[in-house]
Amino acid sequence: MSEYEKPAPRINPDNARFWESAHEGTLRLPRCGDCRAWHWPPGPVCPDCFSGRIDWEEAQGHGTVSTWTVVHKDWFPAFRAEIPYAVAQIELAEGVRVTASIVECPAETLRVGLPVEVVFDRVTESLTLPRFRPRRP
Ligand code: ZN
């Protein structure tokens, strides 16, 4: 059975490429083949110019925290063992924002503007959010 026959929660045809690349250890995001704008969430057309030419290109994998919260309920089953856990909006270097889990970061050090980098070491079938940690020097 392929991964497409048993999709994990929240994986759909529009974002399947994102998760496929995460399993391979790269962060790929949709980028317009015409106006070259990065965009997220993914969709069938570019929200800037409505082009249907979408390329999935490798992103730099780092950005800054733009908003964050600490979650005390198990909204995401994959993180049940880690309650409470931190969820944040990350403004990526490419200019798009993704929702992510923040790991390796005590809640008291989490702040808006914190530089973070993507982590791929625990990407599993049940993972529903990409993981980021404080950026290492
Ligand atoms: Zn475009």
Side-chain angles (χ1 to χ4, degrees), residues 31-39 45-54:
R31 189 174 194 186
C32 180
D34 286 316
C35 77
R36 304 301 294 148
W38 296 90
H39 48 91
V45 298
C46 171
D48 291 339
C49 73
F50 302 111
S51 167
R53 289 184 52 214
I54 305 298

Side-chain angles (χ1 to χ4, degrees), residues 86-122:
V87 173
Q89 284 278 308
I90 309 296
E91 181 155 348
L92 295 175
E94 287 74 18
V96 297
R97 291 185 181 188
V98 297
T99 302
S101 174
I102 302 293
V103 298
E104 301 173 33
C105 181
E108 62 271 17
T109 64
L110 196 48
R111 61 178 171 79
V112 170
L114 180 71
V116 290
E117 63 188 11
V118 70
V119 179
F120 293 113
D121 53 1
R122 296 183 62 197

